[in-house]
Amino acid sequence: MRSFSYIYLAFRSVRVHILRSILAVTGIVIGIAAVLIVVAVAEGARAEVSRQITSLGSNLLLVQPGAQVAQGVRQQAGTILSLTTGDAIAVAREVPDVVIAAPFVGEQKTTISGDLNWSTLVAGVTPVFF
């Protein structure tokens, strides 16, 4: 009998404070929707990153030339152009498991058009790269 009185009291309280009840339900719905959206966006981002990594291939190996040291500070990899196109050809010829060896030369440059500018990768490759 006592549980029925609690249920009656709860319904009466909701009916008497209708605006408070509507605001509480609205807050709960918005909170659940926000959590679901964040989880969906995070899962989508994870799937996209995974797809991009998979598109590179699990058997991809990048060989970069050494880094220059200037005034005691090591620069980024590839600042010394110690590898040549002949090195790529030799790797493809001499290493039996290598299917394709493609030389790549690239550098970040700023491109300017009117009052706009972008940081762009300028790259030179051979046709086997693709």
Side-chain angles (χ1 to χ4, degrees):
M1 185 73 173
R2 197 167 203 179
S3 61
F4 288 119
S5 64
Y6 288 140
I7 292 172
Y8 173 74
L9 181 64
F11 278 116
R12 191 172 132 233
S13 179
V14 167
R15 193 175 64 238
V16 170
H17 302 288
I18 191 74
L19 183 60
R20 182 186 303 169
S21 301
I22 290 172
L23 288 175
V25 169
T26 303
I28 292 168
V29 168
I30 290 173
I32 291 172
V35 168
L36 291 176
I37 289 171
V38 168
V39 168
V41 168
E43 183 62 26
R46 187 198 61 77
E48 178 63 19
V49 168
S50 177
R51 186 193 64 77
Q52 288 181 357
I53 290 172
T54 303
S55 72
L56 291 175
S58 60
N59 56 356
L60 178 65
L61 175 66
L62 299 174
V63 179
Q64 292 185 319
Q68 179 178 347
V69 177
Q71 298 176 350
V73 177
R74 182 177 300 278
Q75 306 297 313
Q76 68 182 19
T79 53
I80 297 177
L81 297 178
S82 58
L83 296 175
T84 65
T85 304
D87 294 328
I89 294 169
V91 166
R93 183 180 61 241
E94 300 295 328
V95 181
D97 291 335
V98 171
V99 177
I100 295 172
F104 174 96
V105 176
E107 190 172 332
Q108 288 291 125
K109 291 292 184 180
T110 302
T111 57
I112 300 171
S113 175
D115 60 346
L116 303 173
N117 60 34
W118 295 271
S119 179
T120 307
L121 174 65
V122 179
V125 297
T126 60
V128 296
F129 180 83
F130 299 106

